[in-house]
Each structure stands twice: as structure tokens, then as C-alpha cells.
Amino acid sequence: MSYNLRSKIITQGLERAPNRSMLRAVGFRDQDFDKPLVGLANGYSNITPCNLGLRLLAGRAEEAIKRGGAMPQEFGTITVSDGISMGTVGMKYSLVSREVIADSIETVCNAQAVDGLVAIGGCDKNMPGALIAIARLNIPAIFVYGGTIKPGHYKGRDVNLVTVFEAVGERTAGKIDDAELLEIERHACPGAGSCGGMYTANTMSSAIEAMGMSLPGSSTMAAVDAEKADSAARSAEVVLEAIRNGLTPDRIITRKAFENAISVVMAVGGSTNAVLHLLAIAHAAKVELSLDDFERIRERVPVLCDLKPSGRYLTVDFHRAGGVPRVMKMLLERGLLHSDALTITGRTVAENLTKEPSEPPPDQDVLHSFDDPVYPTGHLAILRGNLAEEGAVAKLSGVKNPVITGPARVFNDEESCLHAILNGGIKSGDVVVIRYEGPKGGPGMREMLSPTSALVGTGLAASVGLITDGRFSGGSHGLVVGHVAPEAQVGGTIALVQDGDSITIDGRERRLQLNVPAAQLEQRRKRWQPPAPRYTSGVLAKYARLVSSAALGAVTD
């Protein structure tokens, strides 16, 4: 594709004069009409610290586009704050926002016939939303991550947003008082940037770097550091090179790219949400990917990074230890990455990593060697059984005993479960079931960070299991299983569970089982009726009608 094949739509022919006239109004001059148009999708907002710094990054990218002989066309795209909406009805809109972001970027870029795209995002759904759009558009594109937040400090330790959620549970258990909780809240989030552990935002930025759709080393930079703005400018320069060379995403977002991304997610101890989002991006890119691929790669890739939520360190520490390039070089040296996968730089993975050392740096223990991994195999396990015939996702990092059999405590929404935990209604040995929170049932597949953090704070995380057809925040940890499919709303077995039923979660054997005779379950199934939709109009109702199973990525197209 010649660099301006698409933008010639607005430069050729007498009938295009009105189009050119409107572009003159936004700053185009005669000599600009033959330049490539570069869309600049800017997720800036002050709704969340994750996106607070994106205006500066967009400005640097815009300058670089102009300096490189192209014309930027900046437009806004939405974000919602997962952290602020967590535990509320507002969280139903979080996963929905991924689709809105993807649709908005696709809509503007196709309507304006741009030649290339720089997408800039910060909060969790910005990354997969942008990548879904990039895959659909298939024009030269790059993703720029807004960067991680730096840690807050309180009483000589690093604190972050998840510290606050867990402190709520500690306050309920009487371990701290109101004054202590307030001080943790005041110190946890010091400024711009996405949540600081290997939670969903940093997981997805790392995955996108591993896929080759962002610059090497860019996924773990702090939002407020100068190198982040410099990287945004360089990203714009790289996308101009991609436009000139006709380097389109379909040459980068391949089966090999997804396998590289999964390997890196396992090695860094990433969020369960990576499973959902990578499946959705693969769907948009028309690349075959399934839950079984995650399980296959999990078995051969160890966890190398000791990162929160279950580990000790934050993403800024990981960046100082070499970040994603160092992990990729370590994996590459052991045949665990596809070396020939192409990246947006125009070079292969191996070529990008030529000068990168292949061992962890000395005098640090954030990044471990293969001889001393944090865990010998990956932490994201795919569980199956009569409770999850299509599959479920468990995060096993930090879990000393990944097996539990216990009585079910059943809740039909997140709020009632949280109330029970905070009021002493959950006991050691219980298996908590939160259902009707799936893609259709929620709708929107809320993240259960509030209940899981409450279990941590009250000291129950090691002795209580939790399963849900909803999701988990990247900050969740413990013996928790999400994405249970089929979900309750469509008649999955999770809808048939009754209080007191025996449930087995077995992370070792990758099994999720309701220990009730099949004949008894069949009788329950005959009596079960789907509940009425919680929403009958608006975006949530539309989403519930369109969305697929979590096992397919919860896609809407």
C-alpha cells in the first residue's frame, strides 16, 4: 500500500474540494494534502490517574508526526476507571468500555481514511480496546502505553491501590483502625500512572510489547518519567516508517505473536484478564487461539518475576531490573519465544534483542533466573469440569495449597458476597460462589477485587476458595477461579449450585467440580429458569444481547 492511498480520497478530484476546505479550517495548507494522515487516538482524561499524563504523550507524538512529514489528526476516546468503579454498579461498564474504545477508534480511522494510527492509552481496557481496533483496521499502527504509577510510601513500605483494598479487610478484622486506613488511602496513589503492580494494565502493556505492537522497553516505564514522553515521540516516528514501508498489523499480530505474548504473561506473573483480552484480540485479528493454548504454554514457561499482587515488588522495580526486554531475551535463549516474529520496528524479536543480556542483573531479586524461578511453571491455569465445561481461569501464584474441597456459599451478586465477608459470614474451608456476574448476566463481567481483597484482609485468603463467572482484577490473589463458562445466565452448571453443596477446586489437576450426582443436577436443571435481564435498554442491555462466552474472549462482533 502506498503511504497515501487512503488519504488520496480527500485530495483527488473536484468533488473533494469541500473536504479540503474543512481540513484547511483545522490547519492544513496546500502542501499538506499530499502528506499521509496519521490518526492519534488519545485516551486522555482526568477521570483516572492512569490516563492523566496522556495529553503530554499525545503532544510529543503529534510533534514527531509533523516533524516526520505527516499530518496528525487527533481524536479522543473514552476510558473508565476500574479502580474507582470497583465494587460498584459502575464496574459493569468496565469490560463494555473495551468494546466502546475499539469501536470508536475503528469508526474515526475509517471515517477519516487515515493512513496510520498512534493509539495512546492508560487504564486496563485501553490496551485491548486499541489492539482490537488496530487488528480490525489493519493499517500501520503502534500502541503507546501511558505508563505505570510510582509507589506511594507509608511507614517505610511501598503502598499502592491494592494495599487500600486489602486494608479495608484489615480494618474489618480489627487489625488496623480508622486512622491507619485513612493514612494508607492518603499515601497509596501519588500521581499519574496505571496501578503499580503486575495488575491488568501493566500485564497488557507487557503483552503488547511482546507481540511487537509497541516499542521494546516501553511497557514498564513510569508515567511521569521523561523516558516515557521520549518513547511516545519515537513511537510516532516508527509508525511513519511503517506507513512508508507498508508494514501492516496482519504481518505482526500473528499466531507467533500471541504465543510470545502468552509466554511473557506467564513469566511476569500477569493478570487473569490477559486470557480474556488476548482471546478477543485474536478474534479481531482472525488468528486461531483458544484456552488450551494458555494451558500448553503454562506448562513450559516458569514465573520469573516476583511482582505484586502475590509477590513483593512493583513494576517500577521490574523496569529497573531490565523489564520485558530482559525477560524476552531470557525466554528466547531457551527456545520459549518465536525469534522470527516481526515487530513494529520492522525488525524481528531476535533482532530487537541482540544487545540485551540474557541473564538477570546481579544484586536484585525482582527477576529470577531459570535456575531459581519464582514458580517452576506458569501461574494462569485453565480449569475444567462439570462446573466449567467451556473452561475457567485460575491464578495460582502465591497459593501454597491450590486444592480445596468445601461447602458452597452461594451469592447471586458481588455486593451480597462482600457484605457476608465483612460481617463474618464466611468461614475457613468455605468455597464462595459469586454468579450472575458473567458477560451476559452482570452484564459486563465485573471484577471481584473487593471480595478477594476482603478475604486477604480478614486473613481468609489461604483457607477459602472463590469461584465466579465474573472476572478478577489483576490485583486479586488467593485460591480464586474466574471466567467460569458457561455462565449462570445461560444455564451453566454454576447456576445450579446450592448452599452447602461440595465443590472441589484442584489447581494441580486443573479441575473444577461440583460434587453432586448427575441425576440430581439434571433435576435441578429442569427446574431452573433464567432470571430476567437486569437491564432492558441502554448500553448494558445491548452488550448483554451481543456478548459471547468468556471462553471466547467476551467479544461482541
Side-chain angles (χ1 to χ4, degrees), residues 24-280:
R24 291 183 193 280
V26 298
F28 276 62
R29 300 161 299 174
D30 288 345
Q31 61 267 35
D32 295 328
F33 290 110
D34 287 324
K35 297 176 181 177
L37 300 181
V38 180
L40 185 54
N42 182 3
Y44 165 78
S45 80
N46 62 4
I47 287 174
T48 171
C50 310
N51 292 47
L52 188 61
L54 302 191
R55 181 180 284 169
L56 171 63
L57 303 188
R60 289 291 301 276
E62 182 176 7
E63 292 170 1
I65 291 167
K66 289 181 177 178
R67 192 168 56 247
M71 292 302 291
Q73 291 204 298
E74 183 177 357
F75 59 94
T77 185
I78 69 151
T79 195
V80 300
S81 173
D82 289 8
I84 295 172
S85 63
M86 196 73 68
T88 74
V89 172
M91 190 64 196
K92 293 176 184 287
Y93 289 86
S94 169
L95 190 58
V96 176
S97 76
R98 184 188 75 181
E99 308 306 301
V100 177
I101 292 164
D103 291 350
S104 67
I105 294 174
E106 177 192 353
T107 298
V108 174
C109 288
N110 276 334
Q112 300 307 118
V114 300
D115 298 295
L117 171 67
V118 178
I120 307 176
C123 200
D124 294 7
K125 307 309 172 295
N126 296 182
M127 278 74 74
L131 263 289
I132 290 169
I134 286 169
R136 291 177 188 168
L137 290 163
N138 202 35
I139 58 174
I142 195 167
F143 181 77
V144 177
Y145 178 43
T148 187
I149 196 170
K150 289 193 171 182
H153 302 282
Y154 178 65
K155 287 190 173 180
R157 64 178 176 133
D158 287 347
V159 291
N160 64 95
L161 180 64
V162 174
T163 313
V164 184
F165 278 94
E166 293 177 356
V168 172
E170 292 174 340
R171 175 66 189 91
T172 300
K175 297 177 181 179
I176 62 174
D177 58 19
D178 288 340
E180 182 92 349
L181 175 59
L182 180 59
E183 287 305 308
I184 293 171
E185 175 208 311
R186 284 172 169 166
H187 289 85
C189 298
S194 299
C195 297
M198 190 48 67
Y199 311 142
T200 301
N202 287 321
T203 296
M204 290 310 301
S205 69
S206 298
I208 291 169
E209 179 178 331
M211 292 175 71
M213 286 305 300
S214 62
L215 292 187
S218 65
S219 64
T220 54
M221 294 174 178
V224 297
D225 285 352
E227 65 176 348
K228 183 74 262 184
D230 292 343
S231 176
R234 177 58 187 151
S235 296
E237 295 168 356
V238 166
V239 89
L240 294 183
E241 295 170 10
I243 292 170
R244 286 190 286 269
N245 295 326
L247 179 54
T248 48
D250 60 343
R251 297 174 58 194
I252 302 169
I253 307 178
T254 62
R255 171 81 180 189
K256 290 181 178 180
F258 283 105
E259 292 189 347
N260 285 350
I262 295 169
S263 294
V264 167
V265 168
M266 295 296 177
V268 302
S271 165
T272 53
N273 281 311
V275 178
L276 192 76
H277 297 325
L278 289 173
L279 288 171

Side-chain angles (χ1 to χ4, degrees), residues 386 493 496 501-502 513-525:
N386 68 349
T493 304
L496 309 180
D501 284 347
S502 172
Q513 192 75 16
L514 176 60
N515 302 312
V516 172
Q520 189 175 341
L521 286 179
E522 186 58 32
Q523 289 300 314
R524 291 183 190 181
R525 193 175 300 280

